Structures are given as structure tokens and as C-alpha cells.
Amino acid sequence: GAGVSQSPSNKVTEKGKDVELRCDPISGHTALYWYRQSLGQGLEFLIYFQGNSAPDKSGLPSDRFSAERTGGSVSTLTIQRTQQEDSAVYLCASSLTLLAGADTQYFGPGTRLTVL
Amino acid sequence: AQSVSQHNHHVILSEAASLELGCNYSYGGTVNLFWYVQYPGQHLQLLLKYFSGDPLVKGIKGFEAEFIKSKFSFNLRKPSVQWSDTAEYFCAVNWDNQGGKLIFGQGTELSVKP
């Protein structure tokens, strides 16, 4: 079956512009997660959703970052007024439920964001 | 704050050598433990996980890991590596009181020489 998909695969933007990153989770997965992978910081948690609600936004680095999920499916991560330190690979993952932390998270291929 | 530590940043082995990658995590209650692998040009995929039961867990491609609660460790092992095991390996921990989020270690890059 189809895995987690993300678009675009690559995004180059200028400092100060807004960007939107999209994630399509595996069909039927109720939990969705965003992570960021960068050279200096490794893999960092950003936010997760259970259905359309985001119980934990603790990993969002600043108020320039926001995310939403609609219809319990697709999620969009928006970065406003991008800065060079936002350059990273943004990863999305989904799992069947959030009720058990042991549920396997399945990762997408990521969006590589480069801020010039 | 909870943290995960991987001791080796880059490991270089010859084929058929044995592998052990260390992973330690900070105290914080009940944990679920994962090893993920990222092959060159591919996305993260699960190697194995532990959440209860036998502390020795077997995963795909001949990998195994042992959960030692007293040492807060979850080391990854493979008795004989292959060139195709060249990849980056990530240890990740979920604490039961933290929802579903994973905290990752810094990753270990494994290079296997043919």
C-alpha cells in the first residue's frame, strides 16, 4: 500500500518568504507527526496530531511555525518569514493510533527546505 | 528534559565484523524503544522496537537489541555486518507520559567496507 507522502520534495526559498509543506499520511492512520532533521540538531520533534487536534506543539521552534490537519488526513506545516536557520529536511510520520506510544511511526521521504 | 544519547557518531567496519551501537536514555518513567535506519537516499524505516516482554528484541535483516532497564540502555547488535548495512542508525525513545512523540539520538553513521 501507499506510504506517507510529502510534497514538495525540495523547496528553495528566499529569506523572509512563507512556505507550506504538505504531508499525506497512510490511509487510516489517526496520528501524524512532524519532525525536522538538520546537521546541527539531528532529528527533532516539532508537533503531533491526533485526528485534527494537536495536543503537543512543544517542539515548534518559534511562532513563525504552525501546522494544521484537516479531515483527519492531510497536514500542512507553514513557516512564515523563513530564516536561514530553518533550512533542514522536514519529515512527516504517521501511526495507526496515538493511544499506544509503542505504535510504529512510518516516515515519509521528507521535504528538503533551503532558505537562501 | 528527556534525552537520548548515541555514543558513536561514525563507525567503520569490514564485512563480517560484529556490530554493537550504544544507546542510552534519561530516566523518565515507562519507555518504548525503537531503532530506525536510514539507507543512503532512502527514508527512515523501522529496524525493531521494544515496548514490553522479552528484553531481547529481534528485528529485520538480522539485527537485535537488548533493553537493560537498570542501565537505561537499548544497544543494537548484529553478529556479522554486510556492505548493504551501510546506513545511518537512529535510536529513538517514547516516554509513556509524553504522548506519541519520539526523542531521537544523534544518529550513528555506519560504513561497511567490502
Side-chain angles (χ1 to χ4, degrees):
Chain A
V4 177
S5 61
Q6 294 185 243
S7 60
S9 55
N10 279 285
K11 177 73 178 177
V12 180
T13 190
E14 294 177 348
K15 179 181 170 181
K17 301 277 190 182
D18 298 352
V19 295
E20 282 189 353
L21 313 179
R22 177 187 167 107
C23 172
D24 281 89
I26 293 171
S27 178
H29 280 195
T30 63
L32 184 148
Y33 311 80
W34 284 98
Y35 295 88
R36 178 168 76 170
Q37 187 174 22
S38 56
L39 279 175
Q41 302 297 323
L43 266 159
E44 306 171 274
F45 166 80
L46 297 178
I47 185 172
Y48 75 72
F49 291 88
Q50 175 60 30
N52 294 333
S53 303
D56 189 345
K57 307 178 183 180
S58 63
L60 294 177
S62 75
D63 58 9
R64 296 186 295 105
F65 287 72
S66 63
E68 65 175 13
R69 190 179 185 195
T70 53
S73 182
V74 171
S75 176
T76 303
L77 178 69
T78 301
I79 309 174
Q80 294 179 311
R81 305 181 304 281
T82 52
Q83 303 294 312
Q84 287 182 332
E85 61 264 27
D86 299 335
S87 295
V89 176
Y90 289 82
L91 296 173
C92 178
S94 70
S95 67
L96 193 57
T97 72
L98 190 57
L99 299 177
D103 272 358
T104 299
Q105 294 183 26
Y106 296 87
F107 283 81
T111 293
R112 182 175 296 279
L113 174 66
T114 304
V115 182
L116 302 176
Chain B
Q2 282 96 344
S3 64
V4 179
S5 174
Q6 292 181 240
H7 314 300
N8 313 98
H9 294 299
H10 193 186
V11 173
I12 302 173
L13 295 173
S14 297
E15 275 194 317
S18 64
L19 170 72
E20 180 160 2
L21 302 182
C23 174
N24 286 88
Y25 59 92
S26 59
Y27 173 76
T30 304
V31 292
N32 302 297
L33 303 160
F34 304 80
W35 277 97
Y36 279 87
V37 62
Q38 189 168 29
Y39 297 103
Q42 297 187 26
H43 56 269
L44 278 166
Q45 55 186 282
L46 182 72
L47 264 183
L48 48 77
K49 69 179 183 184
Y50 169 84
F51 55 96
S52 68
D54 189 343
L56 184 61
V57 180
K58 295 193 184 298
I60 61 171
K61 305 188 180 186
F63 286 91
E64 64 179 31
E66 186 175 12
F67 168 48
I68 303 180
K69 189 175 181 180
S70 61
K71 294 185 178 181
F72 302 97
S73 71
F74 190 55
N75 291 356
L76 182 71
R77 299 193 292 248
K78 185 170 184 178
S80 175
V81 294
Q82 301 173 308
W83 176 78
S84 58
D85 293 324
T86 294
E88 190 156 16
Y89 292 81
F90 294 91
C91 179
V93 180
N94 161 261
W95 278 266
D96 257 7
N97 61 1
Q98 295 277 305
K101 74 181 185 186
L102 295 176
I103 304 298
F104 283 86
Q106 289 292 93
T108 297
E109 187 179 344
L110 172 65
S111 300
V112 180
K113 297 180 179 179

